[in-house]
Amino acid sequence: MEHWDVVIVGGGPAGAACALAARRADPSARVLVLDRVDFPRDKVCGDGIAAEALDVLAGLGVDPSSVTDGYPAVPRLRLTSPRGTTVERATARPSYVIPRSVLDARLVAAAQESGAVLRHHHVRQVRPRAGHVELDRAITAGVLVGADGAESVVRRALRVQRNLPTQLAVALRGYAPEPPGQRGVQVIVTTEQRWPAYAWSFPLGDGRVNVGYGELVSGGATRAGLVEGLHRLLPGISPAGLKAHRLPLSTGRPRQPDGRVLLAGDAASLINPLTGEGIFYAVLSGALAGRAAGAGAGAGAAYRRELGSRLGRHLRHSSVASRLSRRPALMDAVFRAAGDDQRVFDAVVALGLADGRLTPRALAGAARRLR
Ligand SMILES: Cc1cc2nc3c(=O)[nH]c(=O)nc-3n(C[C@H](O)[C@H](O)[C@H](O)COP(=O)(O)OP(=O)(O)OC[C@H]3O[C@@H](n4cnc5c(N)ncnc54)[C@H](O)[C@@H]3O)c2cc1C
């Protein structure tokens, strides 16, 4: 048996942030990241990165410009409501659109530079024991972090329940030439048909857009239905390389158990139920898990407390907003209010992409527009 202080399963944004944080908290810690594939690797995603995700990385010592290098800022967002109201405004802070093959390779390289070791290994078996956690009868860990995504093996080993179909979305995405008039604008088009569902078109700045469409699994989503939804909402595009993946939404997030096994990112169902955004929550939860790892047997409880104090209120607000948003008329009113008032627009964006809340101004604006 080979022993490491912290073993992280998965080298995506959650795993890389976790490794960076664990090394930063204790520069003598032996940190091992295991991934079943070699980097660079693709990950099915819209590739949209909120500015707040870069803030978390900067706090871990990663220069944001080294992450975004070669991909221009995207300063505007165009939203279309389920009933067809469109609002386009500058966002309070620009987003970035970076292919995951590039982003994840950069983040995992930063983790390696910080002293973490990356190894190609497909984890199949996780066994919590007294005093350590055992993996595949080959490796032991003082603390194990499951950052292994939407189909987490670590989560299964903890016997933590999977998201229900009403708390699980599925989306497919591909790449297409950038349509005229979309330079610097992220586009999101929602639809009343099969609601809640939406399509996106995010410009990478290299002449391509990442386009996709997603909806809830509970609605009986099929690949043909997802392709049809994409073409209905974004007519005239011909994307290549369409691939689908599941999104465990934070409305189904589990309680982090006590002990030496932590869950971060998609493995912890930390995806925004309004937008499907997960990278910000992956790097933030990964960072908190990495910091808590030093607590050994107390790591689970310490991480749960930190996650609750940093994100608890936002998660409660986005869950409530997700329930309210089931009424398309209300969504329409919110989008109209965002068209009336930049501050409502900013609040909607912060709730959907980062750690924002349901603000009294946004609620009052929507109520006015409902009348
Ligand atoms: C279609 C789609 C569009 C999306 N668009 C956006 C968007 O525009 N912006 C946004 O912020 N979020 C978006 N998301 C969500 C985002 O992709 C995820 O939230 C994010 O990737 C979570 O990061 P993670 O590190 O938790 O998991 P992942 O990125 O999934 O990384 C998990 C890693 O674990 C590895 N792994 C898995 N199992 C094992 C194992 N048994 N052993 C070893 N390694 C293992 C995998 O190889 C992978 O490298 C989208 C999701 C989908 C499906």
Side-chain angles (χ1 to χ4, degrees):
M1 288 278 184
E2 175 192 350
H3 184 77
W4 293 78
D5 298 320
V6 183
V7 175
I8 300 159
V9 186
C18 182
L20 283 157
R23 289 285 303 165
R24 210 170 160 81
D26 177 2
S28 68
R30 296 184 67 242
V31 177
L32 177 66
V33 180
L34 302 173
D35 205 294
R36 64 183 172 193
V37 294
D38 289 322
F39 289 81
R41 58 106 178 87
D42 187 24
K43 152 78 176 81
V44 177
C45 186
D47 301 336
I49 322 288
E52 288 79 358
L54 298 173
D55 294 344
V56 175
L57 292 166
L60 297 173
V62 181
D63 176 3
S65 64
S66 71
V67 177
T68 61
D69 186 36
Y71 296 90
V74 184
R76 297 184 72 78
L77 175 64
R78 187 185 306 154
L79 299 169
T80 300
S81 75
R83 292 183 176 168
T85 299
T86 294
V87 50
E88 181 185 320
R89 284 182 175 276
T91 47
R93 300 177 66 194
S95 296
Y96 291 83
V97 184
I98 307 173
R100 292 291 299 275
S101 55
V102 175
L103 176 80
D104 293 24
R106 286 178 178 176
L107 298 186
V108 88
Q112 286 175 281
E113 274 163 37
S114 79
V117 173
L118 172 67
R119 188 182 294 170
H120 186 144
H121 179 114
H122 190 158
V123 174
R124 297 176 193 279
Q125 198 183 63
V126 174
R127 291 210 168 122
R129 305 269 192 215
H132 65 264
V133 185
E134 193 182 297
L135 280 103
D136 296 336
R137 296 168 195 252
I139 299 170
T140 61
V143 166
L144 177 78
V145 181
D148 49 342
E151 315 294 336
S152 171
V153 165
V154 178
R155 178 167 170 162
R156 255 202 317 275
L158 280 180
R159 297 190 206 291
V160 168
Q161 214 189 328
R162 292 168 70 98
N163 278 38
L164 300 172
T166 48
Q167 305 157 336
L168 191 64
V170 59
L172 114 174
R173 75 92 175 95
Y175 293 91
E178 184 183 289
Q182 223 203 298
R183 180 60 40 102
V185 187
Q186 283 191 304
V187 171
I188 293 179
V189 186
T190 62
T191 167
E192 205 163 4
Q193 203 174 328
R194 302 186 65 78
W195 177 252
Y198 85 87
W200 69 86
S201 175
F202 293 167
L204 285 98
D206 63 0
R208 293 180 300 158
V209 281
N210 176 316
V211 292
Y213 169 86
E215 57 183 49
L216 285 180
V217 165
S218 53
T222 60
R223 185 178 167 89
L226 295 177
V227 172
E228 187 276 322
L230 178 64
H231 288 294
R232 179 163 39 83
L233 295 182
L234 297 173
I237 53 135
S238 35
L242 283 176
K243 284 189 200 160
H245 198 82
R246 293 206 274 199
L247 299 90
L249 306 175
S250 62
T251 41
R253 67 190 177 280
R255 184 176 192 271
Q256 165 63 46
D258 284 344
R260 296 176 181 272
V261 185
L262 317 184
L263 297 172
D266 283 11
S269 299
L270 287 173
I271 294 190
N272 192 301
L274 297 163
T275 58
E277 209 260 12
I279 296 171
F280 164 66
Y281 309 100
V283 290
L284 179 58
S285 60
L288 296 176
R291 214 174 299 153
Y303 171 52
R304 188 171 63 239
R305 269 195 308 278
E306 285 299 311
L307 204 55
S309 84
R310 179 63 182 81
L311 268 185
R313 189 181 278 191
H314 161 75
L315 291 169
R316 286 191 294 280
H317 281 225
S318 56
S319 290
V320 170
S322 151
R323 277 201 297 281
L324 293 174
S325 75
R326 296 300 164 93
R327 293 171 53 204
L330 191 57
M331 282 297 278
D332 222 62
V334 170
F335 280 44
R336 283 176 198 272
D340 296 340
D341 182 343
Q342 178 76 43
R343 281 171 293 183
V344 172
F345 183 84
D346 293 342
V348 169
V349 172
L351 186 65
L353 297 188
D355 51 1
R357 297 171 190 174
L358 276 170
T359 63
R361 181 180 291 275
L363 290 169
R368 259 196 310 278
R369 280 305 204 156
L370 258 183
R371 281 187 222 124

